[in-house]
Amino acid sequence: MSTTIGRLLSLVGITFLIHSAYSTYQHLSYLNAVDKAESGLPIEIIAECLISVVVSLVGVVLCAGDLKNILMENEMRKQTIDKLDTAPSFITFNHRGRRAVSAHTLLQRRSHMS
Amino acid sequence: MTRLDFEATSLELQQYRQSGERASERVAYLASRIIKDGYSAKLQDDIWPFYEQAVAAALDVGDFRLADECIENLKRRFSNSSRVQRLVGMRYEAEGKLAEAQKIYDAILEEDESNIVGVRVLVSKRQIALLKLRGLKSEAIAALVSYLDTYYSDAEAWIELCSLYLSVHAYQKAAYCLEELILLQAANPIWHLKYAEIMYTLGDYSLALKQYCRVIDLHEDHLRGMYGIQLCASKIMANGEADDTTKALKELATERILATEVDQCTIDSIKQVVREYLSVA
């Protein structure tokens, strides 16, 4: 939910940012055309720029995922020994798993059907 | 059968791929569900590592039909790939045809144009696994040692070497492997735990005590770590070399075990037995 709001907000913010950039360009070319000195931007464009930056900031922050813990040990706590002490490239298949699992699945299927 | 929650399943499979956990029964079940229920198209690019994972799990549980299906799909997409050939070799291994598997692995390693270093590494590991399969433990150890001479930062290989040494009761050498692992992954409490337990087996109680302390430093209130501290401290006190720190550590460990684990047990008789055991030991 917050990601959709975040995406919407950041989209709106970036659109207005681009719009304010384009307005600046237009304003400066207008000043050039009427030969006035660069007397600074009108307040509306500045306001639009700043507000759009804030809005897109809020939107991007809402889009980002959950924060993760900075302490390594809190991540490590969730890991079991099985997840850490494995060597998956060296597995061998000469164990009883084949017979044990097929018997187990057969029993499961029978119990599902009955 | 309940409807498959695709998002949760693909996330779970991804986690298994990252951690390398050997949960073959679960993975084989999920993989066959995904393929049977027709979700394989939804995986898009993730499907190739998914097939690889499914093959390994299927071979582990003996589901050759699933393994063959995945290998066929991979072959259709990646013909002439050494990575797929490795999976074919694994399939021969699972069937028991070790000679054919050996031939395939030798063929892969001989190909000069192997620009894919990763596959050569994986295939050398499979060859070591073949030696292990045949029961030639000392040859497997020798091959693994020469492999580690080149690739000394490969944690997985050190783990394997450690378990091989432990299976032949070469505790000092297993301890050396764990030292390397501690160097590679210093924040992992499991290596310290294993090292501490090997040191305890060898009788080096003070070093074991230090390592157990490191375990609970990294993982607060780790039950095995605390029990280890309690045992080591008791042994040191029995040898008569204890000082105040050791006594304090033993009391701390006993207190923490009782507080975190025993007090949550609902059966009073068990609580009583454990309390007595801990106070005497």
Side-chain angles (χ1 to χ4, degrees):
Chain A
M1 182 58 185
S2 57
T3 44
T4 42
I5 296 180
R7 289 210 186 104
L8 202 62
L9 276 178
S10 46
L11 193 65
V12 164
I14 291 175
T15 317
F16 277 107
L17 195 59
I18 297 175
H19 178 255
S20 69
Y22 186 63
S23 318
T24 323
Y25 164 72
Q26 266 201 318
H27 184 77
L28 288 177
S29 56
Y30 160 74
L31 285 180
N32 242 347
V34 297
D35 278 337
K36 270 199 198 141
E38 263 130 62
S39 52
L41 291 168
I43 186 77
E44 297 98 37
I45 298 185
I46 298 179
E48 185 181 6
C49 180
L50 291 173
I51 293 176
S52 61
V53 163
V54 170
V55 166
S56 46
L57 259 177
V58 172
V60 165
V61 163
L62 285 176
C63 270
D66 290 324
L67 292 174
K68 287 210 189 106
N69 227 304
I70 197 172
L71 284 177
M72 181 70 142
E73 65 177 34
N74 292 343
E75 278 295 313
M76 279 292 169
R77 251 171 219 267
K78 301 181 208 144
Q79 314 274 41
T80 58
I81 290 185
D82 275 334
K83 288 193 211 285
L84 295 168
D85 195 3
T86 59
S89 307
F90 289 99
I91 52 175
T92 50
F93 304 108
N94 58 336
H95 51 69
R96 296 168 294 180
R98 197 186 314 176
R99 302 284 171 243
V101 173
S102 53
H104 175 234
T105 355
L106 214 57
L107 282 171
Q108 256 191 339
R109 286 202 196 120
R110 285 214 191 108
S111 67
H112 269 289
M113 284 190 248
S114 61
Chain B
M1 285 203 267
T2 53
R3 255 194 94 223
L4 192 65
D5 183 355
F6 177 71
E7 291 298 327
T9 312
S10 65
L11 191 66
E12 193 180 343
L13 285 172
Q14 209 177 3
Q15 283 169 342
Y16 284 136
R17 249 177 286 157
Q18 272 175 336
S19 65
E21 188 178 353
R22 193 173 176 172
S24 301
E25 207 178 328
R26 178 89 180 130
V27 172
Y29 169 69
L30 290 176
S32 58
R33 280 300 299 277
I34 284 190
I35 293 180
K36 224 182 341 166
D37 291 356
Y39 283 102
S40 24
K42 264 185 116 173
L43 281 166
Q44 294 168 341
D45 270 336
D46 258 350
I47 198 167
W48 312 116
F50 163 77
Y51 278 145
E52 220 177 341
Q53 185 188 20
V55 168
L59 290 175
D60 224 4
V61 300
D63 192 351
F64 286 106
R65 200 193 47 81
L66 175 63
D68 284 332
E69 195 178 334
C70 298
I71 293 183
E72 278 311 304
N73 288 329
L74 281 167
K75 268 195 187 153
R76 246 182 283 144
R77 172 70 179 82
F78 302 103
S79 48
N80 263 350
S81 160
S82 356
R83 218 162 137 176
V84 180
Q85 279 299 95
R86 179 185 90 102
L87 293 174
V88 173
M90 276 166 75
R91 195 203 181 287
Y92 279 135
E93 264 187 67
E95 270 183 299
K97 300 184 181 152
L98 302 182
E100 273 95 345
Q102 183 73 292
K103 258 191 286 183
I104 292 187
Y105 294 145
D106 287 333
I108 298 179
L109 286 177
E110 266 169 22
E111 283 176 21
D112 255 341
E113 41 84 29
S114 269
N115 35 18
I116 318 150
V117 179
V119 186
R120 293 183 68 93
V121 160
L122 286 172
V123 171
S124 353
K125 290 191 195 178
R126 284 321 299 170
Q127 286 197 317
I128 297 172
L130 265 181
L131 288 170
K132 203 173 65 160
L133 197 71
R134 289 213 179 99
L136 304 167
K137 284 219 175 106
S138 36
E139 280 86 345
I141 289 178
L144 198 41
V145 166
S146 64
Y147 170 82
L148 279 166
D149 273 337
T150 341
Y151 302 98
Y152 48 86
S153 56
D154 190 352
E156 192 186 41
W158 284 114
I159 296 172
E160 186 61 28
L161 186 58
C162 179
S163 23
L164 276 173
Y165 275 139
L166 285 175
S167 68
V168 295
H169 306 296
Y171 291 116
Q172 283 287 2
K173 298 199 179 140
Y176 177 75
C177 298
L178 280 168
E179 285 164 12
E180 292 286 334
L181 278 169
I182 291 178
L183 276 175
L184 287 170
Q185 298 177 359
N188 192 340
I190 303 304
W191 308 140
H192 293 280
L193 183 67
K194 229 168 154 175
Y195 189 58
E197 295 185 343
I198 291 183
M199 284 301 131
Y200 185 87
T201 315
L202 287 172
D204 191 349
Y205 299 117
S206 52
L207 184 53
L209 184 61
K210 284 201 197 96
Q211 288 298 324
Y212 277 123
C213 291
R214 194 84 186 96
V215 173
I216 60 169
D217 190 13
L218 289 167
H219 183 152
E220 212 175 282
D221 286 343
H222 192 216
L223 182 62
R224 255 165 98 165
M226 289 193 294
Y227 186 53
I229 291 183
Q230 217 260 358
L231 282 176
C232 285
S234 317
K235 289 274 182 185
I236 295 181
M237 280 167 29
N239 285 347
E241 299 156 356
D243 60 351
D244 287 329
T245 340
T246 332
K247 295 202 184 91
L249 274 173
K250 180 178 172 182
E251 275 168 30
L252 172 67
T254 319
E255 183 223 315
R256 285 314 291 163
I257 296 179
L258 292 173
T260 54
E261 298 287 329
V262 177
D263 278 342
Q264 304 186 4
C265 174
T266 47
I267 307 177
D268 279 334
S269 48
I270 296 182
K271 264 202 246 187
Q272 192 54 26
V273 168
V274 178
R275 253 185 244 274
E276 278 172 22
Y277 176 73
L278 285 174
S279 57
V280 166

